[in-house]
């Protein structure tokens, strides 16, 4: 009597749009919790005075870069490889990939720790840190980046869980960690209850403690005998496993650099137009960053659905998931963008009463708001392409956006263009990236990659 064929993975048969919405919901909750922590910590540090706030501002870009690299880039590479193995029915390989993903996280975490320990002072000095601000920045970074390995591990382990279609438990850990971070950071910052008042270092210790606790929680989940994919510490190193992850994860590291580069260029251009334009750009672009969790949530939900479909050689379904995610991400951000373009005061009035700044910020939203649909479309397709293991197109789209912004910004400054042209340039960059992503994803052939097994 022949054994019955194993049942297909649920993500191969479930209806696409409802499943994407169901998987995206817990991700969105987790991302909102993380955003709330950032707001709370900014308020804590702001209450300490200008020098701690300036010190944290110097460290924040490197911290965000590490988060984007470990979660969205290399984490996406791990999730892509693991989900494709699951789709192919090879659970043993999925567990091998999970172990190699943890090793990659360990290596990158150590690089961040060593880099910021050895060169943090020089880096923050280059960014403008001086005197007490520089001293606080170096000390703050020393605490936060001492647990860089834990931060990389928790993001990679969350990606392994998401690769199985489990979005709930990573979000539970994120929400629980967010609550702890707010309480611990506030207690150690201001000396609530029996805790000592450590100021900025208290906030840093809250971040470090939460990272260690969250990493421990993920280890417990993935080491459980009931885990769908179990993280096993022992086993041989395999070149093909590293290659499968890095084929997607390594190029994806360019995406955070593209994002940071675009922001730096636009900020520098805005500063040339004057204080009011710079402040207005800052208010408008803050909304852009707050919208990222919506597209991120849909994209991260699409990634394992695409990866499992590719692993099972269901290319048509993988593409259907990708396009559905793109529409959902674009529609969600586009709707908000249209509302803000029509009524920018809903957002702008929260931050300023200055007429000049408010006018500049409103102008930003009137130009950029309608382009948010392309922003959401691009982000969602970026993660879907990771699931397929074909990340080149979205990365090239990001490069084109950067080129448009750099060349366009140079042209604006060279011709003494009015300030509204800067905001039109922001919109043009979003439209370029979104349109190019659609074109490149449509043209790129998808399908399982042949894998060479090595002992």
């Amino acid at each position: 009597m022949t054994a019955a064929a194993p049942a297909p993975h649920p993500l191969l048969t479930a209806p696409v749009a409802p499943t994407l919405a169901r998987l995206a919901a817990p991700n969105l909750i987790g991302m909102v919790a993380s955003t709330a922590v950032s707001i709370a910590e900014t308020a804590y540090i702001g209450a300490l005075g200008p020098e701690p706030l300036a010190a944290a501002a110097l460290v924040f870009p490197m911290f965000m870069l590490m988060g984007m690299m470990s979660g969205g880039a290399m984490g996406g590479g791990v999730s892509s490889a693991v989900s494709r193995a699951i789709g192919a029915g090879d659970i043993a390989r999925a567990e091998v990939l999970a172990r190699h993903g943890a090793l990659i996280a360990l290596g990158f975490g150590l690089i961040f720790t060593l880099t910021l320990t050895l060169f943090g002072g020089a880096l923050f000095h280059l960014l403008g840190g001086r005197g007490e601000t520089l001293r606080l920045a170096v000390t703050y970074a020393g605490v936060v980046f001492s647990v860089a390995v834990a931060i990389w591990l928790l993001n990679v382990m969350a990606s392994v869980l998401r690769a199985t279609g489990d979005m709930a438990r990573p979000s539970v850990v994120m929400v629980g960690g967010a609550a702890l971070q707010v309480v611990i950071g506030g207690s150690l910052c201001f000396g609530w209850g029996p805790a000592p008042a450590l100021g900025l270092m208290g906030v840093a210790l809250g971040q470090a403690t939460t990272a260690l606790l969250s990493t421990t929680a993920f280890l417990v989940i993935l080491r459980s005998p009931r885990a769908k994919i179990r993280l096993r510490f022992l086993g041989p190193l395999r070149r093909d496993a590293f290659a499968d992850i890095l084929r997607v994860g390594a190029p994806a590291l360019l995406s955070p650099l593209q994002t940071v580069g675009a922001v730096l260029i636009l900020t520098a251009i805005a500063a040339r137009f004057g204080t009011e334009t710079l402040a207005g750009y800052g208010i408008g672009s803050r909304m852009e960053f707050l919208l990222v969790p919506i597209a991120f949530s849909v994209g991260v939900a699409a990634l394992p659905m695409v990866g499992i479909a590719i692993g099972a050689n269901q290319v048509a379904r993988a593409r259907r998931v990708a396009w559905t995610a793109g529409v959902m991400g674009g529609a969600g951000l586009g709707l908000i963008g249209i509302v803000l373009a029509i009524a920018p005061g809903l957002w702008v009035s929260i931050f300023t009463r200055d007429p000049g700044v408010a006018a500049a910020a409103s102008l930003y939203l009137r130009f950029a708001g309608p382009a948010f649909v392309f922003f959401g479309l691009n982000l969602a397709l970026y993660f879907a392409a990771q699931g397929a293991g074909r990340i080149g197109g979205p990365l090239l789209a990001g490069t084109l956006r950067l080129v448009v912004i750099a060349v366009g910004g140079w042209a604006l400054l060279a011709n003494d263009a009015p300030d509204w042209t800067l905001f039109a340039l922001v919109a043009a960059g979003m439209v370029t990236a979104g349109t190019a992503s659609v074109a490149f994803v449509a043209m790129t052939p998808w399908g399982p990659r042949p894998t060479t097994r090595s002992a």
Side-chain angles (χ1 to χ4, degrees):
M1 186 175 181
T2 58
H9 194 283
L11 293 186
L12 290 173
T13 57
V16 171
T19 304
L20 273 173
R22 175 176 58 81
L23 295 178
N27 290 326
L28 182 58
I29 293 171
M31 292 296 295
V32 168
S34 297
T35 301
V37 171
S38 178
I39 294 171
E41 288 184 338
T42 301
Y44 293 163
I45 298 170
L48 298 174
E51 287 185 332
L53 195 60
L58 289 175
V59 178
F60 185 71
M62 291 302 299
F63 186 75
M64 285 300 296
L65 183 64
M66 180 171 68
M68 289 188 288
M69 284 185 166
S70 58
M74 194 59 69
V78 171
S79 191
S80 172
V82 171
S83 63
R84 283 184 275 116
I86 292 172
D90 195 342
I91 300 302
R93 178 169 177 79
E95 292 185 340
V96 168
L97 289 164
R99 183 175 74 251
H100 285 69
L103 290 172
I104 291 171
L106 177 64
F108 273 98
L110 289 173
I111 289 172
F112 268 85
T113 296
L114 291 173
T115 300
L116 271 298
T117 299
L118 297 175
F119 306 110
L123 173 63
F124 301 138
H125 185 274
L126 182 65
L127 293 174
R130 300 292 187 273
E132 180 66 8
T133 296
L134 179 59
R135 187 191 69 80
L136 287 172
V138 171
T139 307
Y140 178 58
V143 175
V144 172
F145 288 98
S146 68
V147 295
V149 166
I151 294 170
W152 271 86
L153 280 172
L154 73 88
N155 281 328
V156 165
M157 287 189 289
S159 298
V160 171
L161 279 173
R162 292 186 182 115
T164 69
D166 183 353
M167 306 291 167
R169 284 189 289 183
S171 295
V172 168
V173 174
M174 287 177 69
V175 172
L180 281 175
Q181 191 166 326
V182 169
V183 173
I184 295 172
S187 298
L188 293 175
C189 179
F190 300 114
W192 295 342
L198 301 177
L200 182 60
M201 294 311 103
V203 176
L205 286 170
Q207 294 172 339
T209 303
T210 301
L212 293 171
L213 291 174
S214 298
T215 302
T216 302
F218 279 122
L219 283 171
V220 170
I221 293 170
L222 287 173
R223 290 288 294 167
S224 168
R226 297 190 300 273
K228 295 179 183 178
I229 300 297
R230 195 173 182 196
L231 180 59
R232 303 180 186 276
F233 295 140
L234 301 179
L237 298 180
R238 291 172 47 168
R239 182 180 301 174
D240 65 296
F242 282 123
D244 203 1
I245 294 169
L246 294 174
R247 183 182 293 117
V248 175
L253 293 175
L254 292 174
S255 181
L257 297 175
Q258 291 171 338
T259 300
V260 172
V263 170
L264 290 175
I265 292 171
L266 287 170
T267 301
I269 297 169
R272 301 289 185 91
F273 281 101
T275 303
E276 290 181 344
T277 300
L278 177 60
Y281 167 74
I283 291 172
S285 62
R286 186 173 299 183
M287 168 53 69
E288 180 182 328
F289 281 105
L290 287 179
L291 291 177
V292 168
I294 299 175
F296 178 91
S297 301
V298 175
V300 168
L303 198 159
M305 291 184 69
V306 171
I308 289 172
I310 291 293
N313 204 21
Q314 294 188 20
V315 179
R317 178 176 175 84
R319 286 196 174 276
R320 188 161 66 252
V321 172
W323 295 128
T324 304
V327 170
M328 290 174 66
L333 269 63
L335 178 61
I336 296 172
I338 292 296
V339 170
L340 291 176
I342 296 171
L346 293 173
W347 176 249
V348 176
S349 62
I350 298 173
F351 299 95
T352 184
R353 299 293 180 187
D354 181 279
V357 175
S362 297
L363 199 58
Y364 175 100
L365 290 173
R366 289 195 175 99
F367 277 96
F372 283 172
V373 60
F374 295 92
F375 182 50
L377 177 63
N378 180 47
L379 280 176
L381 288 179
Y382 165 78
F383 285 103
Q386 279 188 315
R390 309 286 181 170
I391 194 65
L395 287 178
L396 184 54
T399 301
L400 289 176
R401 177 188 179 226
L402 193 60
V403 170
V404 166
I405 289 172
V407 174
W410 172 81
L412 298 186
L413 295 177
N415 291 282
D416 293 323
D419 58 357
W420 67 264
T421 57
L422 169 64
F423 306 133
L425 179 63
V426 173
M430 293 181 188
V431 173
T432 298
T435 305
S437 280
V438 170
F440 291 138
V441 168
M443 292 187 296
T444 302
W446 282 11
R449 290 180 182 272
T451 56
T452 304
R453 305 297 176 86
S454 59

